[in-house]
Amino acid sequence: MDKSIFVKNLKVENQTNPLGIDISSPRFSWMINTEQNNVLQSAYHLIVADEDGEEVWNTGKTDSDQSVWIPYKGPSLKARKCYFWKVRIWDNKGQISDWSKASWEMGLLGKDDWQACWIEPEQKEAVEEPFITVQEMFSVGLKDKSLEEKAKDLRPPQLLRRKFTITGDIKKARLYVTSHGVYQLELNGSRVGNNEFAPDFTAYNVRLQYQTYDVTDLLAAGNNAIGAVIADGWYIGRIQLTGHSCQFGNKLGLLLQLEVEYQDGTTERIVSDEQFVSSTGPWEYADLFIGEKYDARLEQQDWSCFEFNDQNWKNVKQVDYPLDNLIAQFGPNVRAMEEILPLSVHCETDGAQIIDFGQIIAGRIRIAIEARNGDIITLQHSEVLDKDGKFFMNIIGRNKDQTDIFIAKGKGSEVYEPRFVFHGFRYVRITGLKAAIQKDAVRAIVLYSDMETTGHFQCSDQRLNKLQQNIQWSQKTNMLSIPTDCPQRERAGWTGDLQVFAPTAAFNMDVYTFLERWLGDVREEQFPDGQIANFVPTGKYYVKECSSMGQLSSAGWGDAIIIVPWVLYERYGDVRVLEQNYEAMAKWLAYVQEKAETEIPDSMTETDPVVLERQKYLWNTGFHFGDWLIPSIVESANENTGPMDSAILTKELVATCFYANSALLFAKIAELLGDKEISQTYYTLNKRIRKAFEKEYIESNGRISAHFQGIYILALQMNMVSSEKRPLVAAQLAQLIKDNDHKLDTGFLSVPYLMDVLCAEGYEDIAYRILFQTDCPSWLYEVERGATTIWESWSAIKKDGTVGHMSFNHYAFGCIGDWLYREPGGIKHSSPGYKHSIIEPNVNVGLSSAKAVLKTGYGILSSAWERNNDFIKLEVKIPPNTTATVILHGEKRVDIGSGTHQFHYESPSVLNGRA
Ligand code: BGC
């Protein structure tokens, strides 16, 4: 066995050798590689040097077991400079590793580093869609315009190019770029990088990311040309629930700075200026939501090459936008991450061909087409077929077309892949193609933010394995630039959806930096009074529509500003996420507190001073989504009632539970950050809210006034119930579930805690019946109906097969994933980032085996068990520099260090006969 230890996976800001960082104190992380057991780091030594080999920071041998998120504390880092760093470690056995090396490069650090100026091609200003309300958008009477009519208002993406000369031997060349709209770049006919939809969707007016590309190898000595195509994207195009346009601006623009360093030390800059010229190209329009129309006959060959004749192109204008919203790219870019072959192609009676990719995704297709000059080929995208197996557009509403149009030039085989759009789909309906589509001529291109898959869960029940895959698919396809509710109808960063899904997300993928970035937008868009927008980035429509209705934020949605950083801290162990969001958390809580203390419900006629006094601790006014989408309420909805009834019937209690929960989390965070006084204040507040809740809403027999499963779950989970009443309240919940034939009836906010609460209160049997339930609503009902993602509504396909106009790809109800990893999987964090973990597989769920694997910041943590009658064989892997406590059969605790460990123990099967 190799006895040595070495350091690998060196990362700066969670990336390997990143370019273009603008963080003043980047954080270093590494992993220890060894085949030995029980290895802990006892010290590290880290040295940073600049490009010239000059040492800029030297930690010396530092006694510390910290190997993740170590902040740089040397002198100020300089713009554009590359830094080299190396690290070695000592372990608890006195061994020293060799040095391991890596690098990173700083980007442009402020507006003074930009010599470029914004340029805009000649263009007609984008048309702002008329204002409609959310109610109008969902009303059956809403008449959406035809694609032909819409096309009149849509505008073409713009091509911009500029020639330049390289006069020396290049040492390195960097391109710093961003745009109003989304761009793709070419240098001398070759694509630059592989980013899609850059710049990512952020609160553009205050935070616009630029991207850095190493283009050293794309430049030629002598004559060169650079080209950019820009399309409307999120900045100008139609977005969100109501399909509004122009949320951040109405003109496409480009900001670009190419910096070339020659071997002789001189530098050259080519920047966006009036030497650029512009033209339209083959795209008639490209709108993220509506789709793209591409006329291949209008392609301009070699348009980004020097020799191309651009005589007919137009001049561009320099425009003076402030540059203080610019920040460097932070976190992953969107990329084409996977390709899927069709499962089948079939013809409908009208000649349309339907391709089934067998999987709901977010992305687009690439298709090789043989057609005649001018043939118009239309691609419509949908997630489901109807009851009779016919193509069915499940997403409706304004500008939800998801339709691409290709006009062929008719020269042999032409390959079409839309460039500036993505759709949520499994099925594509193609019309206008005479020839039968061959399966291998088509691919579905899956697009999402480039994050590493870190989690894996598998067990003896194939249906649960399918559920886990569906959760992962809903995650990938809803993490395209921002965390979204769904990738078709709204594609919006709903804070509540992420709040419930974040723990699961952090198992499946490394979402840390992706969510840190999004939290930056949540903070920036916080309203002056402390409210947190219901979805982020927001855009001006939302502010107008929602402030008029008094519903800028909602309990359980706005609380994301406290819950999400807390989850990230627990799962990734970096305290910076708490520090960064601390002020915003405090402002949000102050807003809630003010509402609770100063407002009472309109309906309140009470005069008893005791009752009035406790109103101060109840957040029982204002608009809230409540326990959104309670199945029984969705089921019984008619024209007069709607999903809003879930909100109306539960909101007071839900809001008060979240108020207490956020106060408690904030108290813990304040304590952690050393703010003792604040911490004490919020611990006390939490107690008072809980007491007031119990008095106001819980009867002596444990019945809660809003008699819904979700309310009991939240009350128990958030400790709103005194220990005396706890069993009574739990019994009410159990009864409700039994009366509902062992089916859940929980909404968005309560479902994450359903399984945990039932198990904690001694109702494991009920919890497991819910888990294996196959009648609607249940997780396995969806699986058995062929789901490939998680649906927005459990009954999106009804028992009689009727298919609803719902989203089939909402990750929120996939939040059970967290429980699967923790309980049957057995992996639990015990100190932040899994420095110490608890391995405690629940072997009595009704499974005969389960395995959970998680790539933590320290390495692979896993737990795999198998039942053989009453005996359990458990294998556990603990990464170096961490420890774990293994809990066998709920009682025996064994403390272990890193390495692979096996256990055999007796655990009589409590619940025989399942799975
Ligand atoms: C979205 C959600 C969101 C909700 C607010 C819906 O239209 O799709 O997932 O959280 O509105 O209640």
Side-chain angles (χ1 to χ4, degrees), residues 134 138 241 485-486 489-490 494-497 534 557 623 625 628-629 644 748 792 807 810 812:
V134 171
F138 277 121
L241 174 60
D485 58 335
C486 54
R489 189 184 68 218
E490 302 179 34
W494 284 96
T495 45
D497 301 45
N534 282 328
W557 272 252
F623 169 86
F625 291 115
W628 185 240
L629 294 187
M644 284 318 285
F748 254 52
E792 176 180 24
S807 152
H810 256 64

Side-chain angles (χ1 to χ4, degrees), residues 591-600 615-616 618 621:
Y591 161 79
V592 177
Q593 194 168 358
E594 210 248 338
K595 290 280 146 192
E597 284 177 3
T598 58
E599 295 181 359
I600 52 166
Q615 299 310 306
K616 282 200 217 153
L618 304 172
T621 56

Side-chain angles (χ1 to χ4, degrees), residues 295-549:
D295 188 340
R297 298 168 304 180
L298 302 177
E299 282 168 359
Q300 306 193 49
Q301 217 54 55
D302 300 326
W303 67 277
S304 69
C305 295
F306 183 85
E307 295 75 22
F308 177 80
N309 180 354
D310 57 19
Q311 256 180 1
N312 297 328
W313 286 40
K314 296 178 178 154
N315 291 331
V316 303
K317 254 204 339 256
Q318 275 188 313
V319 202
D320 227 1
Y321 289 103
L323 300 180
D324 37 23
N325 59 343
L326 293 174
I327 52 168
Q329 174 76 29
F330 182 81
N333 291 98
V334 178
R335 303 229 154 85
M337 298 293 288
E338 298 174 45
E339 294 194 359
I340 302 179
L341 270 165
L343 207 62
S344 65
V345 182
H346 78 269
C347 265
E348 291 203 328
T349 42
D350 59 1
Q353 302 186 64
I354 315 288
I355 307 180
D356 175 7
F357 287 98
Q359 176 62 54
I360 290 182
I361 64 157
R364 53 203 182 210
I365 66 164
R366 183 171 63 234
I367 179 166
I369 289 172
E370 301 252 4
R372 290 168 316 191
N373 182 289
D375 276 359
I376 300 173
I377 291 123
T378 305
L379 322 172
Q380 290 171 285
H381 301 74
S382 147
E383 293 180 321
V384 270
L385 300 179
D386 72 7
K387 194 178 175 183
D388 306 315
K390 295 251 164 24
F391 189 78
F392 174 78
M393 290 289 255
N394 61 305
I395 299 298
I396 49 167
R398 184 169 70 167
N399 295 329
K400 313 291 181 202
D401 307 70
Q402 299 214 102
T403 301
D404 302 322
I405 300 173
F406 175 76
I407 304 175
K409 32 176 204 247
K411 289 199 187 117
S413 174
E414 299 172 59
V415 176
Y416 176 55
E417 179 184 342
R419 227 186 296 169
F420 297 108
V421 295
F422 67 89
H423 311 297
F425 69 99
R426 166 175 168 171
Y427 299 92
V428 183
R429 178 176 189 268
I430 303 193
T431 52
L433 249 193
K434 308 264 171 328
I437 297 169
Q438 302 303 314
K439 280 206 255 175
D440 61 1
V442 199
R443 296 279 186 288
I445 312 295
V446 188
L447 298 159
Y448 51 89
S449 292
D450 189 355
M451 289 177 276
E452 188 180 355
T453 298
T454 48
H456 173 79
F457 170 82
Q458 203 184 331
C459 66
S460 53
D461 190 307
Q462 294 315 321
R463 299 166 307 168
L464 290 184
N465 294 342
K466 181 65 183 155
L467 170 64
Q468 160 66 8
Q469 281 167 20
N470 294 354
I471 297 170
Q472 270 170 324
W473 271 107
S474 274
Q475 172 163 352
K476 292 195 269 196
T477 50
N478 275 299
M479 292 205 165
L480 194 161
S481 202
I482 57 163
T484 57
D485 58 335
C486 54
Q488 4 66 3
R489 189 184 68 218
E490 302 179 34
R491 315 176 187 196
W494 284 96
T495 45
D497 301 45
L498 179 71
Q499 183 268 107
V500 302
F501 190 68
T504 305
F507 266 120
N508 286 329
M509 294 167 102
D510 179 359
V511 293
Y512 187 57
T513 342
F514 174 80
L515 293 181
E516 254 194 299
R517 171 175 78 213
W518 177 77
L519 282 167
D521 294 303
V522 177
R523 291 196 296 276
E524 282 296 342
E525 292 196 329
Q526 183 168 33
F527 295 95
D529 64 357
Q531 290 193 74
I532 294 287
N534 282 328
F535 54 81
V536 175
T538 42
K540 61 184 184 182
Y541 156 78
Y542 174 80
V543 180
K544 185 169 165 202
E545 153 86 348
C546 298
S547 48
S548 68
M549 288 164 40

Side-chain angles (χ1 to χ4, degrees), residues 55 98 246 474 496 532 542 669 775 816:
E55 190 175 293
D98 283 339
C246 303
S474 274
I532 294 287
Y542 174 80
I669 294 166
D775 196 3
I816 183 141

